[in-house]
Amino acid sequence: MKNRKVCLVVGASSGIGKAAAEALAGRGHRVYGTSRDASRVTTANVVGLDLEINDDHSIREAVGKILEAEKRIDAMFYAAGFYTAGAIEETTPEQIHQQLDAYFVGAHRVTRALLPHFRKVGAGRLLYMSSNAGDAALPYHAIYSCSKAALQIYCDGLRYEVEPLGIQVSYLQNGGVKTGAEASFRRAAEPVAAYDGPRDRAIAAFHRMQQKGPEPKAIGATVADAIEARTMKPVIRADNFSKLIGFLGAVMPAKLFRSQLRKSLDIA
Ligand SMILES: NC(=O)c1ccc[n+]([C@@H]2O[C@H](COP(=O)([O-])OP(=O)(O)OC[C@H]3O[C@@H](n4cnc5c(N)ncnc54)[C@H](OP(=O)(O)O)[C@@H]3O)[C@@H](O)[C@H]2O)c1
């Protein structure tokens, strides 16, 4: 295949990462997909690799295996991690560290493992899964929002540094998608009764958004489109919901926007 790319998909055993790996492999690209247990990467024509996002050694080992086999990596999509929900006061500092590790520091670990190769060849694509939560604090999901906001600012900063070296950086936003994320989400560890009603309603509403959302197939295709495009857009709003939220966030008075978010998360 002409323009066949070697792609690394981090978090390819489930959900959006799995759909992206499937789309890329379906288009004939050479795809390596990761999980903490490579046997969980079951997509046809996707090579499973063990990778723990909190462990530099395992990340470097996975990247090393691809480079040994393929002599190159062209693109990386980061979709690994879990989310935390609950009131800020209920969330321990350790949980905040873990949330940032999952969506932000983990992404940084993978990025650092790839950049020496990308710099050497003067090319490469880094695409990270963010969320609308990166633009605005979602009620009772603020720590999740913090991790996505950090990731987005990271991408914006990284772009200044590596774009002149031929490396493209983007992040992708999407609304609720039906994935395995609900099974691995973590509740804030130290409940405070004062938040019981709105916190439980907001968590339930967030789960409903995922359950009622589309299957991840469409977003997998969007990832493959981005990796195949001549130039990746810096911010990819994958679905209409994300496009609408991005627009409303920019033009709506803050008070009105916040009241819409309250309604969406069932705490109006
Ligand atoms: N679902 C949605 O509604 C939605 C909407 C917008 C954005 N997003 C974003 O999309 C991304 C993927 O979410 P998803 O819903 O597809 O989640 P998911 O189905 O739960 O998949 C998470 C992936 O991360 C991997 N993972 C988890 N912890 C890991 C660790 N410590 N080390 C290595 N890999 C780890 C899992 O693999 P193993 O468990 O096999 O290791 C799995 O492949 C996240 O960034 C999320 O914020 C999701």
Side-chain angles (χ1 to χ4, degrees):
M1 175 202 173
K2 206 178 154 217
N3 294 327
R4 180 174 180 262
K5 293 185 189 292
V6 177
C7 307
L8 166 61
V9 177
V10 182
S13 63
S14 162
I16 291 168
K18 182 175 183 178
E22 207 163 53
L24 287 162
R27 294 186 192 189
H29 298 292
R30 181 75 172 140
V31 184
Y32 289 80
T34 81
S35 159
R36 282 165 290 185
D37 174 355
S39 72
R40 291 203 285 258
V41 179
T42 52
T43 308
N45 299 319
V46 174
V47 180
L49 288 174
D50 288 319
L51 185 151
E52 160 59 61
I53 53 178
N54 295 306
D55 178 1
D56 276 319
H57 178 73
S58 100
I59 293 169
R60 288 181 190 280
E61 203 167 68
V63 168
K65 279 183 185 163
I66 305 173
L67 287 175
E68 198 179 307
E70 309 290 339
K71 312 293 174 229
R72 64 179 225 265
I73 301 177
D74 300 305
M76 185 283 299
F77 176 53
Y78 187 91
F82 67 90
Y83 71 92
T84 304
I88 292 172
E89 184 185 349
E90 300 174 320
T91 312
T92 63
E94 290 71 26
Q95 287 189 296
I96 294 181
H97 281 300
Q98 287 161 2
Q99 181 67 93
L100 290 174
D101 279 342
Y103 288 143
F104 174 42
V105 185
H108 177 57
R109 290 183 194 284
V110 175
T111 305
R112 289 192 78 216
L114 288 169
L115 279 176
H117 171 67
F118 284 179
R119 280 191 289 100
K120 198 163 116 192
V121 298
R125 288 175 187 226
L126 296 163
L127 178 59
Y128 305 84
M129 191 63 214
S130 186
S131 153
N132 305 111
D135 287 348
L138 298 189
Y140 293 95
H141 296 78
I143 302 307
Y144 170 56
S145 297
C146 288
S147 69
K148 294 300 187 183
L151 177 69
Q152 292 184 180
I153 295 289
Y154 175 88
C155 289
D156 291 342
L158 184 62
R159 202 173 300 116
Y160 286 119
E161 299 166 17
V162 301
E163 211 171 44
L165 307 176
I167 300 161
Q168 297 186 35
V169 181
S170 298
Y171 62 82
L172 206 149
Q173 295 181 339
N174 207 82
V177 186
K178 213 181 290 173
T179 67
E182 192 183 321
S184 62
F185 100 98
R186 299 185 189 176
R187 256 174 205 272
E190 296 182 354
V192 175
Y195 301 111
D196 277 355
R199 177 234 300 123
D200 291 350
R201 289 202 306 281
I203 292 176
F206 195 74
H207 287 167
R208 278 197 302 278
M209 283 180 194
Q210 292 173 349
Q211 286 153 5
K212 287 186 180 165
E215 298 288 336
K217 194 175 166 137
I219 189 163
T222 304
V223 170
D225 288 346
I227 285 173
E228 288 177 341
R230 198 177 154 81
T231 311
M232 292 200 299
K233 284 188 197 159
V235 183
I236 302 166
R237 295 197 164 89
D239 62 346
N240 288 336
F241 177 80
S242 300
K243 289 180 186 126
L244 181 69
I245 293 282
F247 173 72
L248 294 179
V251 300
M252 234 185 198
K255 201 172 166 188
L256 192 58
F257 186 71
R258 285 174 70 84
S259 108
Q260 286 304 319
L261 280 182
R262 280 178 205 280
K263 277 188 200 149
S264 308
L265 274 295
D266 201 15
I267 60 158

